[in-house]
Amino acid sequence: MPLFLLTSTTTTTTSSSSNTFSTILGPIITLINTAVAPILTLVVAIGAIYCIFIGVKIAKAEEQQDREKAKQQLKNAIIGFLLIFVLIVALRLGLSPLQSWMNQFTAPTVS
């Protein structure tokens, strides 16, 4: 299954009374909704693999300075991946309220 499904989006015809923002943003929102789950899975997998490599680095470190450096890398990696995870989840949760807010303040064009 491809990551970006541009062909599966539905297209709507624009008339003089339709909201052009909704017409433009419909495929973009569908694309984001489709791509969030695979991206989230990819981030979790990469984060787990990277943390395992750093854990091995900690275990193999012979000097205290190398061990402390690897611990700091592990701490930074966990914080970074958690931040990415939270931002992706916030995007997913915030998309619907932002779309309804946008639709509330954009009036349809009348000719």
Side-chain angles (χ1 to χ4, degrees), residues 12-87:
T12 58
T13 59
T14 58
S15 64
S16 61
S17 64
S18 70
N19 187 350
T20 54
F21 282 127
S22 295
T23 305
I24 294 169
L25 289 179
I28 295 171
I29 291 172
T30 303
L31 177 69
I32 290 172
N33 284 334
T34 304
V36 165
I39 290 173
L40 193 58
T41 304
L42 188 65
V43 166
V44 169
I46 291 172
I49 291 169
Y50 187 67
C51 288
I52 289 170
F53 281 134
I54 293 176
V56 169
K57 201 178 205 183
I58 290 173
K60 290 175 75 176
E62 294 180 5
E63 296 182 16
Q64 185 65 23
Q65 181 182 2
D66 293 336
R67 187 171 291 124
E68 291 299 321
K69 185 178 177 183
K71 284 182 184 178
Q72 187 65 32
Q73 284 179 337
L74 182 62
K75 178 182 161 187
N76 290 340
I78 290 172
I79 290 171
F81 286 115
L82 283 176
L83 184 62
I84 291 170
F85 178 77
V86 167
L87 290 175

